Amino acid sequence: MNQPPNRSAPLPAYRLSAWALPSGAIWLLGLIGLWLLVGGCQLSTQKKAFRIGFSQRTQTDNWRKTMQESMNRELSFTPEVEFIVKDAGGRSDQQVRQIQELIDQQVDLLIVSPNAAQPITPVVEKAYQQGIPVIVVDRRTASDQYTAYVGADNVEVGRTAGIYAHALLKGAGNVVEIGESPGSSADMDRHRGFMEALRPHPGIRLVRKLDGDWDKRSFATALTKLLRGTPAIQLIFAQNDRTALKAHRVCQQLGMGNQVKIIGVDGLPGKNEGIELVDQRILDATVLYPTGGKEAIRTALAILNKQPFKRENRLPITLIDSTNVRIMKLQNEKVIEQQSDIERQIRQISDLNQTYTSQKTTLYITLGSLIVAILLGVWALYLFRSKQAAYHTLEQQNEEILTQKNQIEVVSQQARLATEEKLRFYSYISHEFNTPLSLILTPTEDLLAKRTVAPHDLKSSLLLVQKNAYRLLRLVDQMLDLRKTDAGKLRLRASEQDLVAFVRDIVSDFQRKAEKKRIDLQLLTTQSAQLTWFDAEKLDKVLFNLLSNAFKYTPKGGFIHVRLDSDGSQVRIQVEDNGEGMTPEEKDHAFDLFFSGTQPYNLAKGLGLALSMEFIELHRGTIDVASQQGRGTTFTILLPLGCAHLDESERVNTATRHRTLVETDDEEELLPVLSQPGKQVGTLLVIEDNDDLRTFLTNRLGTEFDIIAEKDAEQGWERALETIPDLVISDIMLPGSIDGLQLTQRIKADLRTSHIPVILLTAKGQMEQRIEGARAGADAYITKPFNTTYLLETLRTTLANRQKLQQRFASDLLPQLGNRNEKKFLNELTALIERHLGDPSFGVEMLSREMGLSRVQLYRKVQALLDMNVMDYLTEIRLKKAKYLLRETNKPIAEIAEETGFNSPAYFTTFFKQHTKRTPSEYRKSPVSA
């Protein structure tokens, strides 16, 4: 019979493994789960590092909104900062309460845009005294107890408006000023600057100053009365563009819209803002008054991160009128578009980082599950096989996660590279625009500064301005075309035309330039005509770019041949030259927008070739390049014949071609400017690769200096060694193997040239680049576009400081202070002279050989340091040695004469008396020897 089960027998082993795990393992599993949970939570949270409070006087006007938008954009790069904004609504008492609230919240830093100076000064001082850094923006308080100030100089704003008012009225007229809110620092400072500018011109009279719209009051009635009264008002200066627009409407209501000139302040982009009002001729001008939002945030972050910062941050201002409003408008539109692209990239990168964080958390959880599975496998051996399958599954999942992580990292790297390329492209745009802008602004400022201008100088300056305006316009057009291609909005407008006549017409446009450079330019074709469907305007730009590049890299006496033939199905155009050619790497990337190879980046070339490929591909054609370094380059264009490859919308009946301006004097050699009689300023070496700017500097500075001009650093270095100039002006970005910074370092390191001051004149204006220039040893750093008067004053001051140094060296033959290389040179020179002092035959020839310098280099080096020639210096040392021996020893005069290098005691006595007015014996007997 069946036996009853023995309840005291042990349970099966699998039940023990599944249900009776030791308590230590359970605790270990719990700790692992808790660690994973805490780790996942830490990944998903991020504590704010700093809290910045911002007290805004009001946000009702666009200028204030623009300030806060620029702050928010700058803060988008530092998400760890919490930004607290308080709007006072234009009320000082409300602003005082809000600042106190921010102090109570213990913000790390306080930014204040004062409504009025006096009311908020006590609470700002209170924050400052409690150790909270305070940055005052736009308007000042009535105290200097703040950490930093960011804003434009309101006195300079008023002064700029007054100067332009004098120019508009030509020295005579009646003016009305409309101010800001009474009592604000901006109102008082702008009025003071305006009156300072008008004070030298008694013909211009300020009839009355009106207060702007404030405290429910309006200036419209008072302005209407003034305009209707006597004397007649010729100009209105409004301290902001909103007031200026309202003043214009008052003038229009009185029928005086075209009679009264109006100047505003702010210069914001957008509808009914300063730039648009100037562009529409509603305002005659507006003074660009930067908001300072970006600068305030950068200063705040520098303070919080304990980095160096400036206490007084003066923002630059400029005048916008009809001469530059279009450029400003285009630049603002481009900046807004670029900022939008950057923000979009930042959002994408943020999304990718969030995805990466999520995947990383999942990976940690998976690894934790794997560890749990291993522990369960140790304690439950019988589940090993089943758990092994689960482990294999988890491993596959882990590999998939790692693969996804790698893909995310690749996408993130691509986004970062794309952002870097865009930022680098924007820096190239700034550099390429600054040189033509310099050649537009600098001649214009020179003309405005002169009381009278000769017709020849006026025409020459205007031609230079026109040429560079066309160059700037062409760069802008190319950028707009490139933008259209990126947006897919560029359309082909092809028509059937004679391609042979079209190409011949373009080649003839370059004929004059070819004659000037003695280049053999020919169109080689056996066809009298070739009907082809093409867009004349786009093909004109392609051929213009190819021929321009060929002229740029083809030497004088070379050739440029344009070949045209067809095979019945397609037509071929070739542009061949025997110029410098390209390296294999440059050839492979010839049509890449951002590639420059071994040559300095050229925006016009990069845009031109990239657009050329886009235009040819629109024609369903191809463009290719064959090149060998030192043997020339050939560009080949293939275009299909017929019109079957074109859409109906791409065909037009009439052909249009915008003729591109060919610059014929880009490569003209710079003629040296002869020194004018009586000049005693010095020799100036100018190193600048842009021919126009080099010619302008030569002509403008040639009235005060002997000019030596070179276009690259290698030739500049050779000329510096050859001539030992008094000053060197150099660009930073130069063709060749060395740039301006390397040239500066070489000049300062070489014993022959270390005393020469170097001034860097460049479009690179960032603080990091200025620091690099200072580290290289530059004596001054001037950015383009530059003011000629400032450049001249810098040159004069540098030379004056050099003369002071000469006087100091001359007063003490071995001074304790001074440049280390110059002190070393003088030590070696003096020691060498003293070593050969007793040799009567020792002179300049032997001295120059011993020093390792040529006779000319030694003379110029000593003259530059001591303001005396070598022989005078040798005489000074001999005389000093003779005085010492006469005063401190009892040696006979004949022996002293021999020790100091004199052939006879009689000659020594004559020499000594000529220089001291006493004989050696009289000098020795005198009680006080000089």
Side-chain angles (χ1 to χ4, degrees):
M1 62 183 297
N2 294 331
Q3 296 291 330
N6 186 355
R7 299 189 181 276
S8 64
L11 293 172
Y14 72 90
R15 295 183 66 185
L16 267 175
S17 300
W19 303 103
L21 289 175
S23 60
I26 296 175
W27 274 104
L28 181 60
L29 292 177
L31 289 174
I32 291 173
L34 180 61
W35 173 75
L36 290 173
L37 180 61
V38 172
C41 292
Q42 288 178 346
L43 289 172
S44 61
T45 60
Q46 184 178 11
K47 183 181 178 181
K48 298 293 185 180
F50 298 112
R51 300 172 72 223
I52 297 177
F54 177 38
S55 175
Q56 173 71 285
R57 64 177 294 265
T58 181
Q59 294 183 359
T60 57
D61 60 90
N62 288 336
W63 192 88
R64 299 288 168 182
K65 293 177 181 177
T66 304
M67 174 194 288
Q68 189 164 336
E69 288 172 358
S70 65
M71 287 181 171
N72 292 331
R73 282 195 298 268
E74 191 65 22
L75 286 168
S76 65
F77 296 102
T78 53
E80 69 273 11
V81 175
E82 181 181 0
F83 193 51
I84 306 171
V85 180
K86 300 284 188 179
D87 179 14
R91 294 172 51 195
S92 297
D93 56 341
Q94 178 71 8
Q95 189 169 28
V96 170
R97 287 193 295 271
Q98 291 177 347
I99 293 175
Q100 183 60 51
E101 292 174 3
L102 293 171
I103 294 173
D104 295 339
Q105 293 177 20
Q106 297 181 346
V107 294
D108 299 294
L109 184 140
L110 179 63
I111 301 176
V112 179
S113 177
N115 183 59
Q118 293 292 342
I120 71 163
T121 296
V123 72
V124 171
E125 290 180 340
K126 178 180 179 182
Y128 180 82
Q129 292 167 2
Q130 289 184 7
I132 300 176
V134 178
I135 298 177
V136 180
V137 181
D138 179 27
R139 303 179 178 188
R140 292 185 178 273
T141 63
S143 168
D144 62 349
Q145 293 193 23
Y146 56 83
T147 308
Y149 170 76
V150 177
D153 188 349
N154 280 298
V155 175
E156 188 62 24
V157 170
R159 188 178 295 116
T160 301
I163 293 171
Y164 192 74
H166 166 63
L168 285 177
L169 298 179
K170 299 179 179 179
N174 296 316
V175 180
V176 172
E177 180 183 1
I178 305 175
E180 288 272 4
S181 57
S184 66
S185 62
D187 177 77
M188 293 184 290
D189 288 348
R190 291 179 184 178
H191 173 69
R192 179 158 59 91
F194 187 65
M195 293 307 297
E196 287 178 0
L198 295 184
R199 195 168 294 118
H201 310 291
I204 302 178
R205 187 170 68 92
L206 179 63
V207 176
R208 186 176 174 187
K209 179 179 181 294
L210 302 177
D211 293 332
D213 290 345
W214 67 284
D215 197 21
K216 300 180 181 180
R217 302 180 186 178
S218 174
F219 66 87
T221 303
L223 179 61
T224 302
K225 183 177 179 181
L226 285 173
L227 292 173
R228 285 177 174 171
T230 304
I233 303 301
Q234 283 82 28
L235 184 140
I236 297 173
F237 166 50
Q239 290 192 13
N240 60 65
D241 290 332
R242 302 186 312 279
T243 303
L245 177 59
K246 185 171 181 180
H248 172 74
R249 290 170 178 167
V250 172
C251 293
Q252 278 189 321
Q253 292 173 0
L254 298 175
M256 302 172 67
N258 297 325
Q259 299 175 18
V260 180
K261 302 182 183 300
I262 303 177
I263 301 173
V265 176
D266 283 347
L268 294 178
K271 185 177 181 181
N272 288 335
E273 295 297 340
I275 293 179
E276 183 183 28
L277 296 177
V278 173
D279 190 34
Q280 295 176 356
R281 304 302 175 93
I282 294 174
L283 302 183
D284 293 84
T286 181
V287 181
L288 177 62
Y289 186 70
T291 63
K294 177 178 67 175
E295 291 77 7
I297 294 299
R298 289 184 176 178
T299 303
L301 294 176
I303 293 171
L304 292 174
N305 291 314
K306 302 187 183 307
Q307 297 174 348
F309 67 95
K310 291 174 60 179
R311 188 171 190 267
E312 294 293 328
N313 297 271
R314 295 286 187 177
L315 302 179
I317 64 171
T318 188
L319 184 79
I320 302 173
D321 61 4
S322 59
T323 62
N324 61 357
V325 67
R326 298 296 297 170
I327 293 176
M328 295 294 295
K329 191 172 183 180
L330 288 172
Q331 288 179 342
N332 277 311
E333 291 173 354
K334 192 64 181 177
V335 167
I336 292 172
E337 179 184 341
Q338 293 164 359
Q339 185 62 41
S340 177
D341 291 341
I342 292 173
E343 290 174 355
R344 187 173 65 254
Q345 291 288 344
I346 291 173
R347 288 195 298 270
Q348 292 176 353
I349 292 173
S350 177
D351 293 339
L352 290 173
N353 285 331
Q354 290 179 0
T355 304
Y356 167 72
T357 302
S358 176
Q359 294 291 342
K360 190 174 181 180
T361 303
T362 304
L363 178 61
Y364 283 162
I365 295 174
T366 304
L367 291 174
S369 301
L370 181 60
I371 294 173
V372 172
I374 293 173
L375 291 174
L376 289 174
V378 173
W379 293 106
L381 188 59
Y382 83 98
L383 294 175
F384 176 74
R385 292 185 180 275
S386 58
K387 293 298 180 181
Q388 189 177 30
Y391 174 77
H392 182 67
T393 302
L394 290 173
E395 191 177 46
Q396 289 180 341
Q397 293 177 357
N398 188 27
E399 290 177 356
E400 292 177 358
I401 293 171
L402 289 175
T403 301
Q404 294 176 2
K405 172 180 172 290
N406 293 333
Q407 291 174 349
I408 291 171
E409 289 180 346
V410 169
V411 173
S412 176
Q413 178 71 6
Q414 291 174 348
R416 186 183 65 80
L417 292 176
T419 302
E420 288 179 356
E421 285 190 346
K422 283 182 177 292
L423 294 175
R424 181 174 59 174
F425 182 60
Y426 301 150
S427 67
Y428 288 148
I429 291 174
S430 173
H431 180 266
E432 291 289 336
F433 278 20
N434 271 327
T435 296
L437 280 173
S438 296
L439 291 170
I440 293 172
L441 293 175
T442 306
T444 304
E445 290 174 352
D446 280 352
L447 290 177
L448 291 173
K450 293 179 180 178
R451 293 176 180 265
T452 59
V453 182
H456 173 75
D457 293 340
L458 178 61
K459 183 177 180 181
S460 175
S461 297
L462 290 179
L463 286 174
L464 183 62
V465 170
Q466 182 193 44
K467 175 182 177 181
N468 284 276
Y470 276 123
R471 182 176 298 167
L472 194 61
L473 180 61
R474 186 162 64 248
L475 287 173
V476 173
D477 287 341
Q478 287 180 330
M479 289 177 59
L480 292 177
D481 286 340
L482 185 65
R483 175 61 183 165
K484 289 179 182 178
T485 60
D486 290 341
K489 295 181 179 180
L490 202 62
R491 295 288 181 265
L492 196 68
R493 296 178 59 82
S495 61
E496 191 174 27
Q497 305 176 59
D498 182 4
L499 184 60
V500 176
F502 178 82
V503 175
R504 182 178 291 111
D505 192 21
I506 295 176
V507 171
S508 66
D509 289 344
F510 284 85
Q511 199 63 47
R512 183 182 173 193
K513 186 170 186 175
E515 293 171 357
K516 282 182 174 288
K517 295 189 65 174
R518 300 193 300 278
I519 289 177
D520 177 23
L521 176 64
Q522 296 185 45
L523 171 61
L524 305 177
T525 181
T526 58
Q527 298 176 261
S528 59
Q530 176 63 62
L531 291 178
T532 309
W533 283 83
F534 62 90
D535 187 324
E537 182 178 357
K538 293 178 177 58
L539 191 59
D540 174 87
K541 292 181 179 180
V542 173
L543 294 176
F544 173 83
N545 284 324
L546 297 183
L547 286 171
S548 295
N549 283 334
F551 272 96
K552 183 171 183 179
Y553 297 107
T554 301
K556 291 184 178 180
F559 71 83
I560 300 174
H561 291 166
V562 182
R563 306 178 189 274
L564 193 152
D565 55 43
S566 66
D567 60 2
S569 62
Q570 60 183 2
V571 62
R572 180 175 61 182
I573 305 172
Q574 288 184 313
V575 179
E576 179 185 3
D577 65 68
N578 65 338
E580 297 178 7
M582 305 179 186
T583 64
E585 184 183 14
E586 290 172 339
K587 183 176 74 69
D588 293 339
H589 298 277
F591 300 101
D592 291 354
L593 179 60
F594 300 106
F595 184 78
S596 62
T598 58
Q599 299 292 334
Y601 184 82
N602 185 292
L603 180 62
K605 176 185 175 184
L607 284 174
L609 291 180
L611 281 173
S612 296
M613 173 168 278
E614 295 287 347
F615 290 163
I616 295 301
E617 289 178 350
L618 278 177
H619 285 82
R620 296 358 175 238
T622 60
I623 181 171
D624 197 9
V625 60
S627 181
Q628 189 172 356
Q629 196 167 15
R631 295 190 178 182
T633 304
T634 301
F635 285 92
T636 302
I637 299 173
L638 295 177
L639 297 176
L641 293 174
C643 61
H645 58 284
L646 300 175
D647 296 336
E648 191 67 31
S649 62
E650 295 176 328
R651 306 176 197 168
V652 295
N653 295 325
T654 57
T656 59
R657 177 192 171 197
H658 174 71
R659 297 290 293 270
T660 307
L661 176 68
V662 178
E663 299 172 8
T664 60
D665 56 349
D666 284 348
E667 304 295 333
E668 290 182 355
E669 292 293 334
L670 180 65
L671 297 176
V673 176
L674 299 177
S675 302
Q676 294 185 1
K679 288 195 303 180
Q680 298 178 355
V681 176
T683 302
L684 176 62
L685 173 59
V686 177
I687 306 172
E688 169 61 53
D689 61 325
N690 183 277
D691 295 335
D692 290 332
L693 185 54
R694 190 171 66 253
T695 303
F696 176 81
L697 288 172
T698 301
N699 294 332
R700 182 66 181 85
L701 303 178
T703 58
E704 289 198 30
F705 299 91
D706 296 325
I707 303 296
I708 304 170
E710 295 294 344
K711 65 171 60 177
D712 59 57
E714 289 89 347
Q715 297 178 15
W717 171 244
E718 294 298 329
R719 294 302 295 273
L721 291 179
E722 176 185 344
T723 61
I724 311 295
D726 297 290
L727 279 168
V728 174
I729 293 180
S730 176
D731 193 1
I732 288 183
M733 297 185 69
L734 294 170
S737 58
I738 62 175
D739 59 18
L741 291 176
Q742 294 168 324
L743 174 64
T744 303
Q745 292 172 341
R746 183 177 293 184
I747 289 174
K748 294 299 183 180
D750 195 285
L751 187 64
R752 295 166 291 181
T753 57
S754 60
H755 67 282
I756 302 175
V758 179
I759 296 175
L760 293 178
L761 186 66
T762 177
K764 292 186 172 184
Q766 299 297 322
M767 183 54 64
E768 298 84 4
Q769 296 155 346
R770 290 174 179 268
I771 293 172
E772 289 182 8
R775 287 174 178 169
D779 295 83
Y781 194 102
I782 301 177
T783 58
K784 301 176 185 176
F786 59 90
N787 183 279
T788 311
T789 304
Y790 175 71
L791 176 60
L792 274 171
E793 289 301 324
T794 301
L795 295 176
R796 293 166 183 160
T797 301
T798 304
L799 278 179
N801 291 336
R802 171 57 59 181
Q803 291 174 356
K804 292 178 182 178
L805 188 62
Q806 289 174 347
Q807 295 171 1
R808 188 177 66 183
F809 277 139
S811 64
D812 185 357
L813 298 182
L814 290 176
Q816 298 301 316
L817 300 175
N819 180 278
R820 181 180 299 176
N821 289 335
E822 296 169 359
K823 178 67 178 297
K824 178 182 177 183
F825 172 83
L826 285 177
N827 278 329
E828 293 178 358
L829 181 68
T830 305
L832 190 60
I833 292 174
E834 291 181 346
R835 193 183 312 139
H836 297 85
L837 198 61
D839 185 1
S841 64
F842 184 74
V844 178
E845 292 293 341
M846 293 178 62
L847 185 60
S848 62
R849 285 197 302 270
E850 293 283 345
M851 291 296 295
L853 300 174
S854 69
R855 184 186 181 97
V856 173
Q857 288 173 337
L858 181 62
Y859 260 108
R860 292 183 176 175
K861 180 80 175 179
V862 173
Q863 186 70 35
L865 287 178
L866 300 175
D867 199 19
M868 65 173 68
N869 60 42
V870 182
M871 289 303 301
D872 289 341
Y873 186 53
L874 183 58
T875 299
E876 187 74 20
I877 292 179
R878 281 179 169 166
L879 188 63
K880 194 172 183 180
K881 180 72 172 180
K883 288 180 178 180
Y884 172 79
L885 293 174
L886 287 169
R887 186 174 60 249
E888 302 295 334
T889 69
N890 295 320
K891 292 182 179 181
I893 293 176
E895 185 179 345
I896 294 175
E898 183 179 354
E899 284 189 26
T900 53
F902 292 91
N903 291 321
S904 67
Y907 177 60
F908 170 67
T909 301
T910 302
F911 170 84
F912 194 87
K913 187 172 183 179
Q914 285 176 349
H915 288 83
T916 64
K917 307 302 180 183
R918 285 178 288 180
T919 65
S921 299
E922 292 172 346
Y923 180 85
R924 173 174 275 177
K925 293 176 181 179
S926 61
V928 179
S929 297

